[in-house]
Coordinates of all heavy atoms in Angstrom, one line a residue:
M1402 N -19.3 39.6 22.5 CA -18.7 40.0 23.7 C -19.2 39.1 24.8 O -20.4 38.9 25.0 CB -19.2 41.4 24.0 CG -18.6 42.0 25.3 SD -19.0 43.7 25.4 CE -19.4 43.8 27.1
N1403 N -18.3 38.5 25.6 CA -18.7 37.6 26.7 C -19.0 38.4 27.9 O -18.2 39.1 28.4 CB -17.5 36.6 27.0 CG -17.6 35.4 26.1 OD1 -18.6 35.1 25.5 ND2 -16.5 34.7 26.1
S1404 N -20.2 38.3 28.4 CA -20.6 38.9 29.7 C -20.3 37.9 30.8 O -19.9 36.8 30.6 CB -22.0 39.3 29.6 OG -22.8 38.2 29.7
L1405 N -20.5 38.4 32.0 CA -20.2 37.5 33.1 C -21.2 36.3 33.2 O -20.9 35.3 33.7 CB -20.4 38.3 34.4 CG -19.2 39.2 34.8 CD1 -19.5 40.0 36.0 CD2 -17.9 38.5 34.9
F1406 N -22.4 36.5 32.6 CA -23.4 35.4 32.6 C -23.1 34.4 31.6 O -23.6 33.3 31.7 CB -24.8 36.0 32.5 CG -25.1 37.0 33.6 CD1 -25.2 38.3 33.4 CD2 -25.3 36.5 34.9 CE1 -25.6 39.2 34.4 CE2 -25.7 37.4 35.9 CZ -25.8 38.7 35.6
Q1407 N -22.4 34.7 30.5 CA -22.1 33.8 29.5 C -20.8 33.0 29.7 O -20.6 32.0 29.0 CB -22.0 34.5 28.1 CG -23.3 35.1 27.7 CD -23.2 35.9 26.5 OE1 -22.1 36.3 26.1 NE2 -24.3 36.3 25.8
Q1408 N -20.0 33.4 30.6 CA -18.7 32.7 30.9 C -19.0 31.4 31.7 O -19.9 31.4 32.4 CB -17.7 33.6 31.6 CG -17.3 34.8 30.9 CD -16.3 35.6 31.7 OE1 -16.1 35.3 32.8 NE2 -15.9 36.7 31.1
K1409 N -18.1 30.4 31.4 CA -18.2 29.2 32.2 C -17.7 29.4 33.6 O -16.6 30.0 33.8 CB -17.4 28.1 31.5 CG -17.5 26.8 32.1 CD -16.7 25.7 31.4 CE -16.7 24.5 32.2 NZ -15.7 23.5 31.6
I1410 N -18.3 28.9 34.6 CA -17.9 29.0 35.9 C -16.7 28.0 36.2 O -16.8 26.8 35.9 CB -19.0 28.7 36.9 CG1 -20.1 29.8 36.8 CG2 -18.5 28.7 38.4 CD1 -21.3 29.6 37.7
Q1411 N -15.6 28.5 36.6 CA -14.3 27.7 36.8 C -14.4 27.0 38.1 O -15.0 27.4 39.0 CB -13.1 28.6 36.7 CG -13.0 29.4 35.4 CD -12.7 28.5 34.2 OE1 -12.0 27.6 34.3 NE2 -13.4 28.9 33.1
P1412 N -13.7 25.8 38.1 CA -13.7 25.0 39.3 C -12.6 25.4 40.3 O -12.2 24.5 41.1 CB -13.5 23.6 38.8 CG -12.7 23.8 37.6 CD -13.2 25.1 37.0
D1413 N -12.1 26.6 40.3 CA -11.0 27.0 41.2 C -11.7 27.5 42.5 O -11.7 28.6 42.9 CB -10.2 28.1 40.6 CG -10.9 29.2 40.0 OD1 -12.2 29.2 40.0 OD2 -10.3 30.2 39.7
W1414 N -12.1 26.5 43.3 CA -12.8 26.8 44.5 C -12.0 27.2 45.6 O -12.5 27.8 46.6 CB -13.7 25.6 44.9 CG -13.0 24.3 45.2 CD1 -12.5 23.4 44.2 CD2 -12.5 23.9 46.4 NE1 -11.9 22.4 44.9 CE2 -11.8 22.7 46.2 CE3 -12.6 24.4 47.7 CZ2 -11.3 21.9 47.3 CZ3 -12.0 23.6 48.8 CH2 -11.4 22.4 48.5
W1415 N -10.6 27.0 45.6 CA -9.8 27.4 46.7 C -9.7 28.9 46.7 O -9.9 29.5 47.8 CB -8.4 26.9 46.5 CG -8.2 25.5 46.9 CD1 -8.1 24.4 46.1 CD2 -8.1 25.0 48.2 NE1 -8.0 23.2 46.8 CE2 -8.0 23.6 48.2 CE3 -8.2 25.6 49.5 CZ2 -7.9 22.8 49.3 CZ3 -8.1 24.8 50.6 CH2 -7.9 23.4 50.5
S1416 N -9.5 29.6 45.6 CA -9.5 31.0 45.6 C -10.9 31.7 45.8 O -11.0 32.7 46.5 CB -8.9 31.5 44.3 OG -9.6 31.0 43.2
K1417 N -11.9 31.0 45.4 CA -13.2 31.5 45.6 C -13.6 31.3 47.1 O -14.2 32.2 47.7 CB -14.3 30.8 44.8 CG -14.1 31.1 43.3 CD -15.1 30.3 42.5 CE -15.0 30.6 41.0 NZ -15.9 29.8 40.2
S1418 N -13.1 30.3 47.7 CA -13.4 30.1 49.1 C -12.6 31.1 49.9 O -13.1 31.7 50.9 CB -13.0 28.7 49.6 OG -13.7 27.7 48.9
F1419 N -11.4 31.4 49.6 CA -10.6 32.5 50.2 C -11.3 33.8 50.1 O -11.5 34.5 51.1 CB -9.2 32.6 49.7 CG -8.5 33.8 50.2 CD1 -7.9 33.8 51.4 CD2 -8.3 34.8 49.3 CE1 -7.3 34.9 51.9 CE2 -7.6 36.0 49.8 CZ -7.1 36.0 51.1
A1420 N -11.8 34.1 48.9 CA -12.5 35.4 48.7 C -13.8 35.4 49.5 O -14.1 36.4 50.2 CB -12.8 35.6 47.2
G1421 N -14.5 34.4 49.5 CA -15.8 34.4 50.2 C -15.7 34.4 51.8 O -16.3 35.1 52.5
F1422 N -14.8 33.5 52.3 CA -14.7 33.4 53.7 C -13.8 34.5 54.3 O -14.3 35.1 55.3 CB -14.1 32.0 54.1 CG -15.0 30.9 53.9 CD1 -14.9 30.0 52.8 CD2 -16.1 30.7 54.7 CE1 -15.8 29.0 52.6 CE2 -17.0 29.7 54.6 CZ -16.9 28.8 53.5
C1423 N -12.6 34.7 53.8 CA -11.7 35.7 54.4 C -12.1 37.2 54.0 O -12.3 38.0 54.9 CB -10.3 35.4 54.0 SG -9.7 33.8 54.7
L1424 N -12.1 37.4 52.7 CA -12.4 38.8 52.3 C -13.9 39.1 52.6 O -14.3 40.3 52.8 CB -12.1 39.0 50.8 CG -10.6 38.8 50.5 CD1 -10.4 38.9 49.0 CD2 -9.8 39.9 51.2
G1425 N -14.8 38.1 52.5 CA -16.2 38.4 52.8 C -16.4 38.6 54.3 O -17.2 39.5 54.6
L1426 N -15.6 38.0 55.1 CA -15.7 38.3 56.6 C -15.2 39.7 56.9 O -15.8 40.4 57.6 CB -15.0 37.2 57.4 CG -15.0 37.4 58.9 CD1 -16.4 37.4 59.5 CD2 -14.1 36.4 59.6
S1427 N -14.1 40.1 56.3 CA -13.6 41.4 56.5 C -14.6 42.4 56.0 O -14.8 43.5 56.7 CB -12.2 41.6 55.9 OG -12.3 41.5 54.5
F1428 N -15.2 42.2 54.9 CA -16.2 43.1 54.4 C -17.4 43.2 55.3 O -18.0 44.3 55.6 CB -16.7 42.7 53.0 CG -17.9 43.4 52.4 CD1 -17.7 44.7 52.0 CD2 -19.1 42.8 52.3 CE1 -18.8 45.5 51.5 CE2 -20.2 43.6 51.9 CZ -20.0 44.9 51.5
A1429 N -17.9 42.1 55.9 CA -19.0 42.1 56.8 C -18.7 42.8 58.1 O -19.5 43.5 58.6 CB -19.4 40.6 57.1
V1430 N -17.4 42.7 58.6 CA -17.0 43.4 59.8 C -17.0 44.9 59.5 O -17.4 45.7 60.4 CB -15.7 42.8 60.3 CG1 -15.1 43.7 61.4 CG2 -15.9 41.4 60.8
L1431 N -16.5 45.3 58.4 CA -16.4 46.7 58.0 C -17.8 47.3 57.9 O -18.1 48.4 58.4 CB -15.7 46.9 56.7 CG -14.2 46.7 56.7 CD1 -13.6 46.7 55.3 CD2 -13.6 47.9 57.5
C1432 N -18.7 46.5 57.3 CA -20.1 46.9 57.2 C -20.8 47.0 58.6 O -21.5 48.0 58.8 CB -20.9 46.0 56.3 SG -20.6 46.2 54.5
A1433 N -20.5 46.1 59.4 CA -21.0 46.1 60.8 C -20.5 47.3 61.5 O -21.2 47.9 62.3 CB -20.7 44.8 61.5
S1434 N -19.2 47.7 61.3 CA -18.7 48.9 61.9 C -19.5 50.2 61.4 O -19.7 51.1 62.2 CB -17.2 49.0 61.6 OG -16.5 48.0 62.1
I1435 N -19.7 50.2 60.1 CA -20.5 51.3 59.6 C -21.9 51.4 60.2 O -22.4 52.4 60.5 CB -20.5 51.3 58.0 CG1 -19.1 51.5 57.5 CG2 -21.5 52.2 57.5 CD1 -19.0 51.3 56.0
I1436 N -22.5 50.2 60.3 CA -23.8 50.1 60.9 C -23.8 50.6 62.3 O -24.7 51.3 62.8 CB -24.4 48.7 60.7 CG1 -24.7 48.4 59.3 CG2 -25.7 48.5 61.6 CD1 -25.0 47.0 59.0
T1437 N -22.8 50.2 63.1 CA -22.7 50.6 64.5 C -22.5 52.1 64.6 O -23.1 52.7 65.5 CB -21.5 49.8 65.1 OG1 -21.7 48.4 65.0 CG2 -21.4 50.2 66.6
I1438 N -21.7 52.7 63.8 CA -21.5 54.1 63.8 C -22.8 54.8 63.5 O -23.1 55.8 64.2 CB -20.3 54.6 62.9 CG1 -19.0 54.1 63.4 CG2 -20.3 56.1 62.7 CD1 -17.8 54.3 62.5
W1439 N -23.5 54.4 62.5 CA -24.8 55.0 62.2 C -25.8 54.8 63.3 O -26.5 55.7 63.6 CB -25.3 54.3 60.9 CG -26.7 54.8 60.6 CD1 -27.0 55.9 59.9 CD2 -27.9 54.1 60.9 NE1 -28.4 56.0 59.8 CE2 -28.9 54.9 60.4 CE3 -28.2 52.9 61.5 CZ2 -30.3 54.5 60.6 CZ3 -29.5 52.5 61.7 CH2 -30.5 53.3 61.2
A1440 N -25.8 53.6 63.9 CA -26.8 53.3 64.9 C -26.5 54.2 66.2 O -27.4 54.5 67.0 CB -26.8 51.8 65.2
M1441 N -25.2 54.5 66.5 CA -24.9 55.3 67.6 C -25.5 56.6 67.6 O -25.9 57.2 68.6 CB -23.4 55.4 67.8 CG -22.7 54.1 68.2 SD -23.1 53.7 69.9 CE -21.6 54.0 70.7
Q1442 N -25.7 57.1 66.3 CA -26.3 58.5 66.2 C -27.8 58.4 66.1 O -28.4 59.4 66.4 CB -25.7 59.1 64.9 CG -24.2 59.3 65.0 CD -23.6 59.7 63.6 OE1 -24.3 59.8 62.6 NE2 -22.3 60.0 63.7
N1443 N -28.3 57.3 65.6 CA -29.8 57.2 65.3 C -30.6 56.3 66.3 O -31.8 56.4 66.3 CB -30.0 56.8 63.9 CG -29.4 57.8 62.9 OD1 -29.5 59.0 63.1 ND2 -28.8 57.4 61.9
L1444 N -29.9 55.4 67.0 CA -30.6 54.5 67.9 C -30.1 54.7 69.3 O -29.2 55.6 69.6 CB -30.4 53.1 67.4 CG -31.0 52.7 66.1 CD1 -30.6 51.3 65.7 CD2 -32.5 52.8 66.0
S1445 N -30.5 53.9 70.2 CA -30.0 53.9 71.5 C -28.6 53.5 71.6 O -28.2 52.5 70.9 CB -30.9 53.0 72.4 OG -30.3 52.7 73.6
P1446 N -27.7 54.2 72.3 CA -26.3 53.8 72.4 C -26.1 52.4 72.9 O -25.1 51.8 72.6 CB -25.7 54.9 73.3 CG -26.6 56.0 73.2 CD -27.9 55.5 73.0
A1447 N -27.0 51.9 73.8 CA -26.9 50.5 74.3 C -27.2 49.5 73.2 O -26.7 48.4 73.3 CB -27.8 50.4 75.5
L1448 N -28.1 49.9 72.3 CA -28.5 48.9 71.2 C -27.6 48.9 70.1 O -27.5 47.9 69.4 CB -29.9 49.3 70.8 CG -30.6 48.4 69.8 CD1 -30.8 47.1 70.3 CD2 -31.9 49.1 69.3
A1449 N -26.8 49.9 69.8 CA -26.0 50.0 68.6 C -25.0 48.9 68.5 O -24.9 48.3 67.4 CB -25.3 51.4 68.6
P1450 N -24.2 48.6 69.5 CA -23.2 47.5 69.3 C -23.8 46.1 69.0 O -23.3 45.4 68.2 CB -22.4 47.5 70.6 CG -22.6 48.8 71.2 CD -24.0 49.3 70.8
Q1451 N -25.0 45.9 69.6 CA -25.7 44.6 69.3 C -26.2 44.6 67.9 O -26.2 43.6 67.3 CB -26.8 44.4 70.4 CG -26.4 44.2 71.8 CD -25.7 42.8 71.8 OE1 -26.2 41.8 71.3 NE2 -24.6 42.7 72.6
F1452 N -26.7 45.7 67.5 CA -27.2 45.8 66.1 C -26.1 45.6 65.1 O -26.3 44.9 64.1 CB -27.9 47.2 65.9 CG -28.7 47.3 64.7 CD1 -29.8 46.6 64.4 CD2 -28.3 48.3 63.7 CE1 -30.5 46.7 63.3 CE2 -29.0 48.4 62.6 CZ -30.1 47.6 62.4
G1453 N -25.0 46.2 65.4 CA -23.8 46.0 64.4 C -23.3 44.5 64.5 O -23.0 44.0 63.5
M1454 N -23.2 44.0 65.7 CA -22.7 42.6 65.9 C -23.6 41.6 65.2 O -23.1 40.7 64.5 CB -22.6 42.3 67.3 CG -22.0 40.9 67.6 SD -22.0 40.4 69.3 CE -23.7 40.2 69.6
W1455 N -24.9 41.7 65.3 CA -25.8 40.7 64.7 C -26.0 40.9 63.3 O -26.7 40.1 62.6 CB -27.1 40.7 65.5 CG -26.9 40.0 66.8 CD1 -26.9 40.7 68.1 CD2 -26.7 38.6 67.1 NE1 -26.6 39.7 69.0 CE2 -26.5 38.5 68.5 CE3 -26.6 37.5 66.3 CZ2 -26.3 37.3 69.1 CZ3 -26.4 36.3 66.9 CH2 -26.2 36.2 68.3
S1456 N -25.5 42.0 62.7 CA -25.6 42.2 61.3 C -24.5 41.5 60.5 O -24.6 41.3 59.3 CB -25.5 43.7 60.9 OG -24.3 44.2 61.2
I1457 N -23.4 41.0 61.2 CA -22.3 40.4 60.5 C -22.8 39.1 59.7 O -22.5 39.0 58.5 CB -21.2 40.1 61.5 CG1 -20.5 41.4 61.9 CG2 -20.1 39.2 60.8 CD1 -19.5 41.3 63.0
P1458 N -23.5 38.2 60.4 CA -23.8 37.0 59.6 C -24.8 37.2 58.5 O -24.7 36.6 57.4 CB -24.4 36.0 60.6 CG -24.8 36.8 61.8 CD -23.9 38.0 61.8
W1459 N -25.6 38.3 58.6 CA -26.6 38.6 57.6 C -25.9 39.2 56.3 O -26.5 39.1 55.2 CB -27.6 39.6 58.1 CG -28.6 38.9 59.1 CD1 -28.5 39.0 60.4 CD2 -29.6 38.0 58.8 NE1 -29.5 38.2 61.0 CE2 -30.2 37.6 60.0 CE3 -30.2 37.6 57.6 CZ2 -31.3 36.8 60.1 CZ3 -31.3 36.7 57.7 CH2 -31.8 36.3 58.9
I1460 N -24.7 39.8 56.5 CA -24.0 40.3 55.4 C -23.0 39.2 54.9 O -22.9 39.0 53.7 CB -23.2 41.5 55.8 CG1 -24.2 42.6 56.2 CG2 -22.3 42.0 54.7 CD1 -23.6 43.8 56.9
W1461 N -22.3 38.5 55.8 CA -21.2 37.6 55.4 C -21.7 36.4 54.6 O -21.1 36.0 53.7 CB -20.5 37.2 56.7 CG -19.3 36.3 56.4 CD1 -18.5 36.3 55.4 CD2 -18.9 35.2 57.3 NE1 -17.5 35.3 55.5 CE2 -17.7 34.7 56.7 CE3 -19.3 34.8 58.6 CZ2 -17.0 33.6 57.3 CZ3 -18.5 33.8 59.1 CH2 -17.4 33.2 58.5
L1462 N -22.8 35.8 55.1 CA -23.3 34.6 54.4 C -23.7 34.8 53.0 O -23.3 34.0 52.1 CB -24.4 33.9 55.2 CG -23.9 33.4 56.6 CD1 -25.1 32.8 57.4 CD2 -22.9 32.3 56.4
P1463 N -24.5 35.8 52.6 CA -24.8 36.0 51.2 C -23.5 36.4 50.4 O -23.4 36.0 49.2 CB -25.7 37.2 51.2 CG -26.4 37.2 52.5 CD -25.3 36.7 53.5
V1464 N -22.6 37.2 51.0 CA -21.4 37.5 50.3 C -20.5 36.3 50.0 O -20.0 36.1 48.9 CB -20.6 38.6 51.0 CG1 -19.2 38.8 50.5 CG2 -21.3 39.9 51.0
C1465 N -20.5 35.4 51.0 CA -19.7 34.2 50.8 C -20.4 33.3 49.7 O -19.7 32.7 48.9 CB -19.7 33.4 52.2 SG -18.6 32.0 52.1
F1466 N -21.7 33.3 49.7 CA -22.4 32.5 48.7 C -22.2 33.0 47.3 O -22.0 32.2 46.4 CB -23.9 32.5 49.1 CG -24.8 31.8 48.1 CD1 -24.9 30.5 48.0 CD2 -25.7 32.6 47.3 CE1 -25.7 29.9 47.1 CE2 -26.5 32.0 46.4 CZ -26.5 30.6 46.3
I1467 N -22.2 34.3 47.2 CA -22.1 35.0 45.8 C -20.7 34.7 45.3 O -20.6 34.7 44.0 CB -22.5 36.5 46.0 CG1 -23.9 36.6 46.2 CG2 -22.0 37.2 44.7 CD1 -24.4 38.0 46.6
A1468 N -19.7 34.5 46.1 CA -18.3 34.3 45.6 C -18.2 33.1 44.6 O -17.4 33.2 43.7 CB -17.4 34.2 46.7
Y1469 N -19.0 32.1 44.8 CA -18.9 30.9 44.0 C -19.6 31.1 42.6 O -19.4 30.3 41.7 CB -19.5 29.7 44.7 CG -18.7 29.3 45.9 CD1 -19.1 29.7 47.2 CD2 -17.5 28.6 45.7 CE1 -18.3 29.3 48.3 CE2 -16.7 28.2 46.8 CZ -17.1 28.6 48.1 OH -16.3 28.3 49.1
F1470 N -20.3 32.2 42.5 CA -21.0 32.5 41.2 C -20.1 33.4 40.3 O -20.5 33.7 39.2 CB -22.4 33.1 41.4 CG -23.3 32.0 41.8 CD1 -23.7 31.9 43.2 CD2 -23.8 31.1 40.9 CE1 -24.5 31.0 43.6 CE2 -24.7 30.1 41.4 CZ -25.1 30.0 42.7
I1471 N -19.0 33.9 40.8 CA -18.1 34.7 40.0 C -17.3 33.8 39.2 O -16.8 32.8 39.7 CB -17.2 35.6 41.0 CG1 -18.1 36.6 41.7 CG2 -16.2 36.4 40.2 CD1 -17.4 37.4 42.8
P1472 N -17.1 34.0 37.9 CA -16.6 33.0 37.0 C -15.2 32.5 37.4 O -14.9 31.3 37.2 CB -16.5 33.7 35.7 CG -17.6 34.8 35.7 CD -17.6 35.2 37.2
K1473 N -14.3 33.4 37.8 CA -12.9 32.9 38.1 C -12.5 33.4 39.5 O -13.0 34.4 40.0 CB -11.9 33.5 37.0 CG -12.2 33.0 35.7 CD -11.2 33.5 34.7 CE -11.6 32.9 33.3 NZ -11.0 33.6 32.2
G1474 N -11.6 32.6 40.1 CA -11.2 32.9 41.5 C -10.5 34.2 41.6 O -10.7 35.0 42.6
W1475 N -9.6 34.5 40.7 CA -8.9 35.8 40.8 C -9.8 37.0 40.6 O -9.6 38.1 41.2 CB -7.7 35.9 39.7 CG -8.2 35.9 38.3 CD1 -8.3 34.9 37.5 CD2 -8.5 37.1 37.6 NE1 -8.7 35.3 36.2 CE2 -8.8 36.7 36.3 CE3 -8.5 38.5 37.8 CZ2 -9.2 37.6 35.3 CZ3 -8.8 39.4 36.9 CH2 -9.2 38.9 35.6
Q1476 N -10.9 36.8 39.9 CA -11.9 37.9 39.7 C -12.6 38.1 41.1 O -12.9 39.2 41.4 CB -12.9 37.6 38.6 CG -12.3 37.6 37.2 CD -13.3 37.2 36.2 OE1 -14.3 36.5 36.5 NE2 -13.1 37.6 35.0
A1477 N -12.9 37.0 41.7 CA -13.6 37.1 43.0 C -12.7 37.8 44.1 O -13.2 38.7 44.8 CB -14.0 35.7 43.5
I1478 N -11.4 37.4 44.0 CA -10.5 38.1 45.0 C -10.4 39.6 44.6 O -10.4 40.4 45.5 CB -9.1 37.4 44.9 CG1 -9.2 36.0 45.5 CG2 -8.0 38.2 45.7 CD1 -8.0 35.1 45.4
L1479 N -10.3 39.9 43.4 CA -10.1 41.3 42.9 C -11.4 42.1 43.3 O -11.3 43.2 43.9 CB -9.9 41.4 41.5 CG -9.8 42.8 40.9 CD1 -8.5 43.5 41.4 CD2 -9.8 42.8 39.4
I1480 N -12.6 41.6 43.0 CA -13.8 42.2 43.3 C -14.0 42.4 44.8 O -14.3 43.5 45.3 CB -15.0 41.5 42.8 CG1 -15.0 41.5 41.2 CG2 -16.3 41.9 43.3 CD1 -16.0 40.6 40.6
Y1481 N -13.7 41.4 45.6 CA -13.9 41.5 47.1 C -12.8 42.4 47.7 O -13.1 43.1 48.7 CB -13.9 40.2 47.7 CG -15.2 39.4 47.5 CD1 -16.2 39.9 46.7 CD2 -15.4 38.3 48.2 CE1 -17.4 39.2 46.6 CE2 -16.7 37.6 48.1 CZ -17.6 38.1 47.3 OH -18.8 37.4 47.1
T1482 N -11.6 42.5 47.1 CA -10.6 43.4 47.6 C -11.0 44.8 47.4 O -10.9 45.7 48.3 CB -9.2 43.1 47.0 OG1 -8.9 41.7 47.3 CG2 -8.1 44.0 47.5
L1483 N -11.5 45.1 46.2 CA -11.9 46.5 45.9 C -13.1 46.9 46.7 O -13.2 48.0 47.2 CB -12.3 46.6 44.4 CG -11.1 46.5 43.4 CD1 -11.6 46.5 42.0 CD2 -10.1 47.6 43.7
L1484 N -14.0 45.9 47.0 CA -15.2 46.2 47.8 C -14.7 46.5 49.2 O -15.3 47.4 49.9 CB -16.1 44.9 47.8 CG -17.5 45.1 48.3 CD1 -18.3 46.1 47.5 CD2 -18.2 43.7 48.3
N1485 N -13.7 45.7 49.7 CA -13.2 46.0 51.1 C -12.5 47.4 51.1 O -12.7 48.1 52.1 CB -12.2 44.9 51.5 CG -12.8 43.7 52.1 OD1 -13.7 43.8 52.9 ND2 -12.5 42.6 51.6
L1486 N -11.7 47.7 50.1 CA -11.1 49.0 50.1 C -12.1 50.2 50.1 O -11.9 51.2 50.8 CB -10.1 49.2 48.9 CG -8.9 48.3 49.0 CD1 -8.1 48.4 47.7 CD2 -8.0 48.7 50.1
F1487 N -13.2 50.0 49.3 CA -14.2 51.0 49.2 C -14.9 51.2 50.6 O -15.1 52.3 51.1 CB -15.2 50.7 48.1 CG -16.3 51.7 48.1 CD1 -16.2 53.0 47.6 CD2 -17.6 51.3 48.5 CE1 -17.3 53.8 47.6 CE2 -18.7 52.2 48.5 CZ -18.5 53.4 48.0
T1488 N -15.2 50.0 51.2 CA -15.9 50.1 52.5 C -15.1 50.6 53.6 O -15.6 51.4 54.4 CB -16.4 48.6 52.8 OG1 -17.1 48.1 51.7 CG2 -17.4 48.6 54.0
Y1489 N -13.8 50.3 53.5 CA -12.9 50.9 54.5 C -12.7 52.4 54.3 O -12.7 53.1 55.3 CB -11.5 50.2 54.4 CG -10.5 50.7 55.4 CD1 -10.6 50.4 56.7 CD2 -9.4 51.5 55.1 CE1 -9.7 50.8 57.7 CE2 -8.5 52.0 56.0 CZ -8.7 51.6 57.3 OH -7.8 52.0 58.3
A1490 N -12.7 52.9 53.1 CA -12.7 54.3 52.8 C -14.0 55.0 53.4 O -13.9 56.1 53.9 CB -12.5 54.6 51.4
V1491 N -15.1 54.4 53.2 CA -16.4 54.9 53.7 C -16.3 55.0 55.3 O -16.7 55.9 55.9 CB -17.6 54.1 53.2 CG1 -18.8 54.5 54.0 CG2 -17.8 54.3 51.7
L1492 N -15.8 53.9 55.9 CA -15.7 53.8 57.3 C -14.7 54.9 57.8 O -15.1 55.6 58.8 CB -15.2 52.5 57.8 CG -15.0 52.3 59.3 CD1 -16.3 52.4 60.0 CD2 -14.3 51.0 59.5
R1493 N -13.6 55.1 57.2 CA -12.7 56.2 57.6 C -13.3 57.6 57.4 O -13.1 58.5 58.2 CB -11.4 56.1 56.8 CG -10.6 54.9 57.0 CD -9.9 54.9 58.3 NE -9.0 56.1 58.3 CZ -7.9 56.2 59.1 NH1 -7.6 55.2 59.8 NH2 -7.2 57.3 59.1
W1494 N -14.1 57.7 56.3 CA -14.8 59.0 56.1 C -15.8 59.3 57.2 O -15.9 60.4 57.7 CB -15.4 59.0 54.7 CG -16.3 60.2 54.5 CD1 -15.8 61.5 54.2 CD2 -17.7 60.3 54.5 NE1 -16.9 62.3 54.0 CE2 -18.1 61.6 54.2 CE3 -18.7 59.3 54.8 CZ2 -19.4 62.0 54.2 CZ3 -20.0 59.7 54.7 CH2 -20.3 61.0 54.4
M1495 N -16.5 58.2 57.6 CA -17.6 58.4 58.7 C -16.9 58.7 60.0 O -17.5 59.4 60.8 CB -18.4 57.2 58.8 CG -19.4 57.0 57.6 SD -20.4 55.5 57.8 CE -21.5 56.1 59.1
R1496 N -15.7 58.2 60.3 CA -15.1 58.4 61.5 C -14.3 59.7 61.5 O -13.8 60.1 62.6 CB -14.1 57.2 61.8 CG -14.9 55.9 62.1 CD -13.9 54.9 62.6 NE -13.4 55.2 63.9 CZ -12.4 54.6 64.5 NH1 -11.8 53.7 63.9 NH2 -12.0 55.0 65.7
G1497 N -14.1 60.3 60.4 CA -13.4 61.6 60.3 C -11.9 61.4 60.2 O -11.2 62.3 60.7
F1498 N -11.5 60.4 59.5 CA -10.0 60.1 59.4 C -9.4 60.1 60.7 O -8.4 59.9 61.1 CB -9.4 61.1 58.4 CG -9.9 61.0 57.0 CD1 -10.9 61.7 56.5 CD2 -9.3 60.0 56.2 CE1 -11.3 61.6 55.2 CE2 -9.7 59.9 54.9 CZ -10.7 60.7 54.4

């Protein structure tokens, strides 16, 4: 059985770049929104937007970096799309639909 670690990494960097830059950015913004909502309840309301805003690069850069280690570009797009959908569902749940 081929696991993800035994597969050869494909050179389809266009789709991996799309997944890392575009879908990774949307994931980071969704995570920052979740962090901001959480911070509004637990931290100072003046500090919460700054905390959320400055969390975007700390999430986006590692996610963008990890996209190139996924074996195929379509897998990266699929994984990041599912990750975005899950994060969006959590955000909607936190906001109360």
Side-chain angles (χ1 to χ4, degrees):
M1402 181 171 139
N1403 275 342
S1404 69
L1405 286 176
F1406 298 110
Q1407 294 173 345
Q1408 294 179 1
K1409 182 181 175 188
I1410 296 177
Q1411 300 294 322
D1413 51 350
W1414 60 275
W1415 281 104
S1416 54
K1417 291 178 184 181
S1418 297
F1419 171 75
F1422 287 108
C1423 297
L1424 296 175
L1426 179 62
S1427 66
F1428 173 71
V1430 170
L1431 287 169
C1432 287
S1434 299
I1435 291 172
I1436 290 169
T1437 302
I1438 290 172
W1439 173 83
M1441 288 293 251
Q1442 298 171 356
N1443 297 319
L1444 297 175
S1445 169
L1448 181 63
Q1451 290 292 318
F1452 190 62
M1454 179 185 70
W1455 287 105
S1456 67
I1457 292 174
W1459 291 99
I1460 298 168
W1461 183 31
L1462 292 175
V1464 167
C1465 186
F1466 174 73
I1467 290 170
Y1469 292 101
F1470 287 100
I1471 298 174
K1473 295 181 180 164
W1475 67 269
Q1476 290 175 339
I1478 291 173
L1479 179 67
I1480 290 169
Y1481 282 11
T1482 301
L1483 293 175
L1484 195 61
N1485 276 313
L1486 290 174
F1487 175 75
T1488 311
Y1489 184 70
V1491 169
L1492 178 64
R1493 294 287 300 208
W1494 174 75
M1495 287 182 73
R1496 292 187 68 194
F1498 291 96

